[in-house]
Amino acid sequence: YTHIYNLSPIATLNPQKAEFAKDSGTLHRTDVFPDYAWMIDADFWREVKTDWPQHGDWKAWIRTRDKSKGRSCVIPEVCRVSVRKRSAAGDHTYYDQYLSKIKLNKNPVKFATMDLDFLKKPTYNAYIYGLVRDSTNLTSASSLQNYRGKPGDIKLEYEGTSGYVSVSRMIGLPSVLKDGMSPTFSHLKISHDFPSPALGHPPASYQGIVIIRYGTWRLFIVPQGWEKRMYTEVKARKDSEVCCRAIER
């Protein structure tokens, strides 16, 4: 199924803290290969095993474009695994601030009985585009603290890598950027826009968009230029569907 959904791994760990993850039945696409628990199918393993690095950071290696080939991962909103103790040689600060606060799922979900077609790339792009477009726009991260709107969807826009780091630190999200798996936003200017493959992507993001639960709201943290990029892809899909229907007639 992974080739149909344009996916590589299925992740079981979301790096967001418990306060930002609440729905056990929610799945997302992400352009960032997960750092910890994941699973891959046999076809993907046969594709990469010959060149698998014996030493060094294999996660960074598998995130490169020639290995990822533009594929995404599926990641759950609520984790199916947890990190229970520090690694002897690991980053203790990162563990204390983020990994130790991850919420382990306690509500079984029968994903096999669910319709997951929305995870297919064209469908998911249209789905996310609609949600973000229709969400309430906030002017700054500081305005979140005093926001008193009705429960629903809200969005917060950031500019550049420094903009994302600033927002993530204010909210309490991991601010360490990672290489993405797809050439997302590579058409944007590196000096002003984010993300670019050279600068990295926010953890668990899709096309630069991070989705979390914030109080009674679903918060979309989006890069400047997101709408133009996603609209182009969504419109291309609609044009293709119209063309196909015309041919069928």
Side-chain angles (χ1 to χ4, degrees), residues 61-79:
W61 170 81
I62 208 169
R63 289 182 183 124
T64 59
R65 289 194 198 179
D66 62 323
K67 295 296 181 293
S68 65
K69 298 181 180 178
R71 289 171 290 209
S72 299
C73 309
V74 166
I75 193 168
E77 179 173 314
V78 180
C79 293

Side-chain angles (χ1 to χ4, degrees), residues 115-139:
D115 182 1
L116 300 179
D117 279 354
F118 77 96
L119 288 171
K120 293 179 180 178
K121 185 175 181 179
T123 307
Y124 191 77
N125 285 351
Y127 169 68
I128 292 298
Y129 175 80
L131 290 178
V132 178
R133 178 198 59 200
D134 297 337
S135 61
T136 300
N137 187 57
L138 300 183
T139 56

Side-chain angles (χ1 to χ4, degrees), residues 19-23 26 77 211-215 217-219:
E19 62 189 284
F20 303 131
K22 298 179 180 179
D23 189 346
T26 293
E77 179 173 314
I211 306 172
I212 63 171
R213 306 287 172 165
Y214 191 87
W217 304 281
R218 177 167 51 184
L219 172 62

